[in-house]
Amino acid sequence: MSQEKVLIFDTTLRDGEQSPGASLSVSEKLEIARQLAVLGVDIIEAGFPISSPAQFEATQKVAEQVAGPVVAALARANKEDIETAGKAIASARKKRIHTFIATSPIHMKYKLKKGSDEVLKMAVEAVRCAKSITCDVEFSPEDACRSQMPFLIEVLAAVVEAGATTLNIPDTVGYILPEEYGRIIAQLKSDVPGIDKCIISTHCHNDLGLAVANSLAGVRNGARQVECTINGLGERAGNAALEEIVMAIHTRADFFAPKGAPAVTTNINTKEICRTSQLVSQLTGFVIQPNKAIVGANAFAHEAGVHVDGMLKERTTYEIMTPETVGLVGSRMVLGRHTGRHGFIDRCKQLGYKLTKQEIEHAYQRFLEIADKKKEVFDEDIAAIINEEIRLVEQIYQLQYLHVASGTGTLPTASVKIRIRDEVKQAAACGDGPVDAAYEAIKEATGLAPKLESYSIKAVTGGKEALGEATVKITENGRTFIGRGISTDIIEASAKAYVDAINRMVAAKKQGEEPGLKGEL
Ligand code: KIV
Ligand code: ZN
């Protein structure tokens, strides 16, 4: 049976990272990009290079260091944006410039303050300019779904003539419904002259919870590229979730190939889905809701008696895909204090981690510390240890000592020692609870007082000896920094997370990272 590929265009690092509070450092973006390549995405949208020096650097690093997928950079429809995007992706083996301009009456009138003739001209010039840099050019009429069809067709026909190779149809504000979106894609496919030479792409936002349904309606009507993000990350309610799109196509190939039409498939290695989802969640600090489709903790859990009974008799009674298909490994090996270096390295390799000698050595030392306190070390613990290692920034502030006293009827107090380069500062403070007291003491010792925006703690695995993983978000001058800490002691994990966030804040200041144009597309 013939097959048609649906290309997966991942925009976690661009549109996903635009979600408030999801700021990633350059090295974290690189780590995610490497994992996206392992996952098998076809295109990685690495950033919006003109928007800030950090975005430029991240895009450039991904282009230089990540092989496999096409590396795309976003640019508004002007020469400076496009040339900057071109420079950022210059060293990519396969490169794409993605240029866009709004075509809806509301955006043209209020945001661009331009008439349709000018917008049409800018779109064509932008595509020509991008085409002089790379032959792979994507054009997006922003807010396409609220644009007037005749104008949308006119603009798309003109950019095809100018050399665009992918036409992306964004539902920028998440307004459209599946049937309507499907109809738009079908009409564009039949009415835009020259569109048969291009790939039609979907780009759906989730404001009405329909991003995935809309994207799939697009595929059903001829779109052969889907733009999406891991865990549906993105501004407001987010973008279409990659894992849901891929597994819908995988599970319901019959629906996408009606009456002998070619079957549609993707190039995704579905077994890497869970690992990618976890990595993005940990690096962005965006926790995955337990009932999230495909990657939520409960996505494959069966509890109701009738369901469990059915499952035991025949798995397919209540399960439409297996947890193994998305990389949730059922049977796990447990490591412990007596596992040697080789055993640990072997398990890391089996779990798919590719670490440098130094990273593996640090991770092994952390493993020993944790195995000392916790009898059994599970795969999830190893993932937490390795993610902690991967995320390391320069440890200007190090938590050397923490003592907390709290209990019923006692005022929670904490004392800390923080190493700051060659100096050790000591401080004590009271707080509303043990974590608050520890944070006050850390503020006192470091002389820094960033605003704590959010704090959460979760167990990495089940059981009373589980490793606690704390995530904090702090802000300073409008910038958010996420810190994480793991420990078998949840107060220590919380203190570590706070110190980690402070180190990130200081590292960003040192690199002179600017807030840039985030949210100003
Ligand atoms: O949602 C949108 O319209 C976008 C474009 C820049 C493609 O993200
Ligand atoms: Zn978008």
Side-chain angles (χ1 to χ4, degrees), residues 52-287:
S52 74
Q55 284 266 341
F56 184 92
E57 192 193 341
T59 310
Q60 196 174 40
K61 289 253 162 75
V62 172
E64 263 165 30
Q65 297 182 29
V66 180
V70 173
V71 178
L74 186 70
R76 288 168 298 189
N78 68 63
K79 197 162 177 270
E80 197 193 347
D81 270 39
I82 294 167
E83 284 177 352
T84 308
K87 279 187 199 133
I89 54 169
S91 57
R93 293 150 193 88
K94 294 182 268 175
K95 44 180 161 282
R96 173 179 298 186
I97 292 178
H98 175 194
T99 184
F100 72 98
I101 189 163
T103 50
S104 66
I106 195 162
H107 273 230
M108 290 193 290
K109 181 169 174 195
Y110 295 106
K111 188 180 86 170
L112 299 177
K113 300 188 177 23
K114 292 189 193 309
S116 51
D117 286 353
E118 199 179 346
V119 167
L120 175 66
K121 192 163 161 266
M122 286 172 75
V124 170
E125 278 169 9
V127 170
R128 283 206 189 112
C129 177
K131 200 74 185 175
S132 69
I133 300 172
T134 171
C135 57
D136 188 345
V137 176
E138 172 167 334
F139 175 77
S140 288
E142 191 189 5
D143 204 17
C145 295
R146 293 191 299 168
S147 302
Q148 285 167 349
M149 200 40 130
F151 183 56
L152 192 57
I153 293 176
E154 190 184 354
V155 172
L156 292 177
V159 296
V160 171
E161 178 81 31
T165 43
T166 298
L167 300 180
N168 183 39
I169 312 302
D171 178 23
T172 305
V173 291
Y175 172 75
I176 211 77
L177 303 177
E179 233 183 289
E180 284 177 297
Y181 192 70
R183 247 188 275 131
I184 292 175
I185 299 294
Q187 188 176 352
L188 294 175
K189 189 170 158 63
S190 89
D191 293 359
V192 174
I195 201 166
D196 48 316
K197 298 193 290 282
C198 299
I199 302 242
I200 305 175
S201 167
T202 68
H203 180 109
C204 299
H205 281 268
N206 205 29
D207 299 66
L208 293 174
L210 293 168
V212 169
N214 288 337
S215 309
L216 294 173
V219 172
R220 170 96 172 165
N221 284 280
R224 288 296 175 264
Q225 174 179 289
V226 175
E227 302 199 351
C228 43
T229 59
I230 302 295
N231 302 335
L233 198 69
E235 257 185 297
R236 309 185 308 276
N239 290 61
L242 180 147
E243 60 280 4
E244 295 177 24
I245 301 278
V246 168
M247 290 314 291
I249 293 176
H250 186 91
T251 311
R252 294 301 312 275
D254 59 324
F255 178 77
F256 294 100
K259 295 194 208 99
V264 297
T265 54
T266 69
N267 287 320
I268 296 296
N269 175 0
T270 59
K271 290 199 160 61
E272 290 292 332
I273 284 178
C274 277
R275 186 201 310 283
T276 316
S277 161
Q278 289 295 331
L279 180 70
V280 170
S281 166
Q282 284 178 335
L283 297 191
T284 57
F286 276 54
V287 176

Side-chain angles (χ1 to χ4, degrees), residues 370-386:
I370 285 163
D372 236 9
K373 297 185 184 145
K374 188 177 185 295
K375 277 193 226 84
E376 296 179 314
V377 180
F378 297 101
D379 292 346
E380 290 90 335
D381 299 322
I382 296 179
I385 293 169
I386 290 176

